[in-house]
Amino acid sequence: MCFPRKPSLGRYSGTRAEWHCAYRAARVAAGQGLPPNPAYSGIQWKAQLIVAYERPLLDPLACSVLGRLAAYRIIEEIVSDERKAVDTSESYLSGWEV
């Protein structure tokens, strides 16, 4: 992009608290399966568009803490097994080195 975006320009200027509130409302609406509402304007509309189209599909607020903790534990178990097996042929990634 030739010109970097400046977050304080135009009708999208707002405080950090306003953006957090708008993002939270947008994530709740997206979690309920609602599309962005064009009746909103300014920060609320921009936040809904960003959440709906520019964010990854897996929103941390959409997953429960217990689900994220379970996923973290599984990943840690796999990574620790991999670290132990790095010097052996048991490595999951053996043969994939470039």
Side-chain angles (χ1 to χ4, degrees), residues 63-76:
C63 299
S64 69
V65 173
L66 295 177
R68 285 184 285 169
L69 182 60
Y72 174 78
R73 287 180 178 160
I74 291 170
I75 292 169
E76 273 301 310

Side-chain angles (χ1 to χ4, degrees), residues 17-37 40 43-49 51-52 59 61:
E18 290 172 336
W19 275 102
H20 278 273
C21 183
Y23 274 120
R24 184 163 193 74
R27 286 192 298 265
V28 168
Q32 295 173 349
L34 300 173
N37 186 353
Y40 291 123
I43 294 172
Q44 292 174 332
W45 173 242
K46 185 67 173 180
Q48 284 189 351
L49 291 175
V51 168
D59 188 359
L61 293 180

